[in-house]
Amino acid sequence: MKIDRVAVTGATSMLGASLIDECITQGIKVLAFVHRNSTNLYRIQKSPLVKIVGCDLDEMETFDVGVERCDVMYHFAWGSTDKDIRDLPMPQLNSIKYCIDAVELAARLGCKKFVGSGSQAEYGINSELLTPETKVDPITSYGVAKFSAGKLCEKLCRIRNMVCIWPRIFSVYGPYMQDKSMLPYALIQFLKKEPANFTAATQNWEFLYQTDAAKMFIALGENVSESGVYLISSGESKVLKDFIYEIREVCDNDLECNFDASKNSGLMTLKSDPSKTFAVTGIKPSISFKEGISKMLDFMKLRIENGTLKI
């Protein structure tokens, strides 16, 4: 199925903005749903291919689509992702409802496919090689909500005669990451030439650059014809501390890193098998971690210059 136009919720998020960038590159038109008071509109490229629409999460249920039509809906919007409320049940319950609202919105837009945004958190703590078939066992309210949303969206999509694609996302990174995340924190500390402090960082982890993730998402929307789960990941796992040392190499080999052995999160590990995604999309990671970090660093310096980032 060749995509002509897509709808994107959470359009200013890292994944949403990255997807829009790639849609523009591929000549795909975009209907971008954004929070009415978003401070991240700068992330969306100005292009005749992109139409921006103000629509908060609680407005999707009643949004009048008029004559707007799209082929695929990409639903990235999700409330209550901040660390301090991520494990509270009630805020996550709201996000499940918003997923259902997004499916209904997709149906009103005439979409043939709905692509959600699941999470590695659906698996809980699991040191096995994770696949789409691995048993889920979420331990956080966020993980429970993501899994629940995926199952409910699949059921509603069946009723609305849409394909439901549920990608589970593994540590996507890039210039559009939240500034409080670990990678931007490390870059900011190294830019200031101040010590960067971390946990023991002994667990296995993996990272996928935002552009590679966007390409996978688009290809899933084009190529998948049956509902199912797919992993959005690199499949290249190594000790987190080694990734941190690579960040330091990009910035300056002499910068100080401190690792606190008393804060050992080694039980939380990531090792994924995205071969199903690679096979159906024909897309594999093309940007190395160091190259991606260099792109993040350049973007961060640009934001410092234009005043959108203060360090």
Side-chain angles (χ1 to χ4, degrees), residues 269-304:
T269 188
L270 285 187
K271 291 186 289 185
S272 73
D273 177 10
S275 56
K276 178 182 175 183
T277 303
F278 295 169
V280 76
T281 64
I283 305 293
K284 291 185 177 181
S286 62
I287 298 176
S288 70
F289 184 70
K290 276 189 176 181
E291 183 182 356
I293 289 297
S294 293
K295 291 177 182 291
M296 284 186 67
L297 183 62
D298 290 343
F299 189 73
M300 194 168 280
K301 289 177 179 177
L302 182 63
R303 287 183 60 204
I304 292 170

Side-chain angles (χ1 to χ4, degrees), residues 14 17 72 79 131 156-157 188 292:
M14 175 176 62
V72 181
T131 74
L156 183 55
C157 281
I188 288 172

Side-chain angles (χ1 to χ4, degrees), residues 39 48 77 93 96 104 108-109 148 160 242 245 252 277 309:
T39 58
L93 186 60
I96 296 174
E104 295 286 26
R108 296 198 302 275
L109 286 166
S148 301
R160 296 290 180 252
D242 291 339
Y245 285 144
D252 185 335
T277 303
L309 175 64

